[in-house]
Structures are given as C-alpha cells and as structure tokens.
Amino acid sequence: MKLIVRHQTIYSYAAAAGRVAMRLKLMPVDTPAQRVLDWQVSVNEEPLTSFRSNSYGEKEAIWVRHDRLDHAVIVAEGLVETQERHGVQGHLGSKVDPRYFLRDTRLTRPSEAIAAMARSLPADGGPLATLHALSAAVSDAVQYRAGVTTADTCAADAFALGAGVCQDHAQVFITAARTIGMPARYVSGYLLAGEGDTLHETHGWAEAWLPDLGWIGFDPSNRVCVTERYLRVASGLDADDAAPIRGSVTVAGDIWIDADVRIAQAQEGVEERQLQRQQQQSTPPPQAAG
C-alpha cells in the first residue's frame, strides 16, 4: 500500500519570540515494513536538510532561530510504501540494546494495579501470546475517551481513571510489558483510518521486543497489531521521547498550536496529483504581524 501524508503544525506566538529551538522527529526511515519513496520537511517554507540518524536508527533534526518570530509553520509530507507484516516490524537498525527499553520514565512508572494486571496474564502460550493478551487487557481496562487525559498524563493515572486516548493505551501497554521483563517502547506515526473515520492527527502505538521476531507493533486503541495502514516515524521510551516535535521558546505571552494531518492511499500513477490536492486542502499559514 502506498500512503501519501501531509502533516502541518503551526506555532503562533502572541508576542514575537526571541529564540525558538525545536527537535524534529518527522522523517520516516526504511524498515522491513515500509519504504520511503519521497519525503520532505520544511519550516516556514524552507526545506530542512539537517536530519541525522540517532542511536535508535531513526532520523531527527534541530531547528533554531534567534531572531524575532511570530509563527513557525512545520510541514512534513511525502509518499511511503508499506507492507502487511501482521505486526512484525523485525530487527530495526538500532545501536541501542533492546533491554534499554525496560527503563521506566515519569510517564511509564508502574502502579501496583498495572503490575497486578501484567502478572495475571496467561503465560502458558508463550511470550507472543502473552503480548496479545496484554493488548486486549489494556483495551478492556482503558476505554477510549477523548478529553479526559492530557499529554502529561502518566500510564498509572490513565489506568486508574479507566479512560484515555491512544497515547494512554500505548503507555499502559509499555508499562505493563516492562514489569514482566519484556522490552517495550512508544511509537509515533500516522494511521490511515477506516471508511467513515476521520483522523487528522498523529497516532501513537507500542512495540514490544521478542528475540526471535524483533519488534512487534501493538495498537490497543484499535485492538490490532499494526498493519500496512500504519506509517512508522519515531520511537522512544514514552510519548514524550517519541514526540514528532519538541522545543523551547523565549516569548512573552501565549502560544497557540494548530496541527493537521492528511493521509490517503495513493493510486498508481496519480501520486503527485493527490499530494498536490492535499496541499491545497491544508490550512494556510498565518500572516506575519505588520
């Protein structure tokens, strides 16, 4: 399957910012499950070419501006061919030992309730069966409900609340897997939603490590292992570590963020026309203050 994506994020500043620094994880890489055919990232219409491989085997870049700035428009767009591998992502090109992803963070520190759920999972079917059972258990324990958690909500709080969104599902899964000695990490990327669904934002899911298979993607929010409808961009210990955009700004006043993702399945021979149509449908950048 070929997926066309246009991901636009606009940062608007009430007062002109004196310094802006951003770490961008917006450049997907080739994996056994996907092949990047074309991809560009720009900031305020200037192409960003400083992406470098990090220790995870993924790409990131730093963008810094020291002059006055009233908005930043970040656009990532391109074409990626994906394959159906029934969740198995394989042995990805990383310099980090998978055991690194047994490490807890503020967002993935286990509660006794999460640990108890993990310990109650059946183990007689082998580790892969345990992971499938864990994904189902997370889906049952944390109902999908928007607006009840935030980006700062940790796994333990979401599990206690019994509700949340994809970030919460993924982080509860990760936390539980680590408590039973299975390396797990957060993945950010894009999902081509099903017929009748609308998804105009990035998506988050989890990957767990098994020595024989490598990394395996689980999406408790949709009760599936990842499919060819998923486009993988970045990973990390938690949602914060895998965030597509992180940054700091020196500014007096409020900051507004507006993000929009457009994703579609490409048809052979019309990829450029589809990409152009998505660009035309995108949100225009704000006008600079006069």
Side-chain angles (χ1 to χ4, degrees), residues 89-111:
Q89 304 302 293
H91 299 266
L92 305 180
S94 173
K95 300 177 182 178
V96 177
D97 190 299
R99 290 173 295 181
Y100 173 77
F101 293 99
L102 290 169
R103 180 179 300 185
D104 294 336
T105 68
R106 181 188 66 82
L107 293 174
T108 60
R109 193 166 295 120
S111 62

Side-chain angles (χ1 to χ4, degrees), residues 193-218:
E195 291 293 333
D197 295 333
T198 301
L199 186 66
H200 292 309
E201 57 189 6
T202 57
H203 190 53
W205 58 94
E207 287 179 347
W209 168 268
L210 292 179
D212 293 340
L213 296 175
W215 291 102
I216 306 167
F218 292 88

Side-chain angles (χ1 to χ4, degrees), residues 245-269:
I245 304 172
R246 286 182 58 191
S248 64
V249 58
T250 302
V251 63
D254 294 329
I255 301 174
W256 295 275
I257 303 174
D258 180 60
D260 185 68
V261 173
R262 305 285 170 162
I263 181 168
Q265 181 178 357
Q267 300 177 16
E268 292 294 338

Side-chain angles (χ1 to χ4, degrees), residues 111-258:
S111 62
E112 180 53 40
I114 291 179
M117 176 191 68
R119 291 193 297 265
S120 71
L121 297 171
D124 52 357
L128 181 57
T130 299
L131 289 171
H132 281 288
L134 172 58
S135 184
V138 172
S139 300
D140 292 339
V142 182
Q143 301 301 308
Y144 189 94
R145 194 187 315 157
V148 298
T149 58
T150 70
D152 291 326
T153 302
C154 67
D157 289 346
F159 190 78
L161 183 63
V165 293
C166 62
Q167 172 175 312
D168 306 297
H169 288 128
Q171 291 187 151
V172 172
F173 178 99
I174 291 163
T175 302
R178 291 173 181 167
T179 64
I180 53 176
M182 306 180 83
R185 63 189 182 186
Y186 191 98
V187 178
S188 61
Y190 308 107
L191 169 62
L192 178 63
E195 291 293 333
D197 295 333
T198 301
L199 186 66
H200 292 309
E201 57 189 6
T202 57
H203 190 53
W205 58 94
E207 287 179 347
W209 168 268
L210 292 179
D212 293 340
L213 296 175
W215 291 102
I216 306 167
F218 292 88
D219 183 5
S221 288
N222 290 294
R223 295 180 178 266
V224 297
C225 283
V226 300
T227 68
E228 63 182 355
R229 303 176 77 90
Y230 290 73
L231 197 167
R232 185 187 191 282
V233 178
S235 64
L237 287 166
D238 54 25
D240 193 42
D241 192 24
I245 304 172
R246 286 182 58 191
S248 64
V249 58
T250 302
V251 63
D254 294 329
I255 301 174
W256 295 275
I257 303 174
D258 180 60

Side-chain angles (χ1 to χ4, degrees), residues 1-3 30-38 79-83 228 230-231 268:
M1 178 181 289
K2 290 182 179 179
L3 300 178
D30 291 348
T31 73
Q34 67 185 34
R35 182 165 61 99
V36 181
L37 303 177
D38 181 59
L79 178 67
V80 177
E81 184 175 22
T82 60
Q83 296 183 18
E228 63 182 355
Y230 290 73
L231 197 167
E268 292 294 338

Side-chain angles (χ1 to χ4, degrees), residues 34-54:
Q34 67 185 34
R35 182 165 61 99
V36 181
L37 303 177
D38 181 59
W39 199 270
Q40 304 88 33
V41 178
S42 64
V43 182
N44 288 348
E45 299 185 345
E46 295 182 3
L48 188 60
T49 59
S50 58
F51 282 89
R52 299 292 183 268
S53 295
N54 59 22

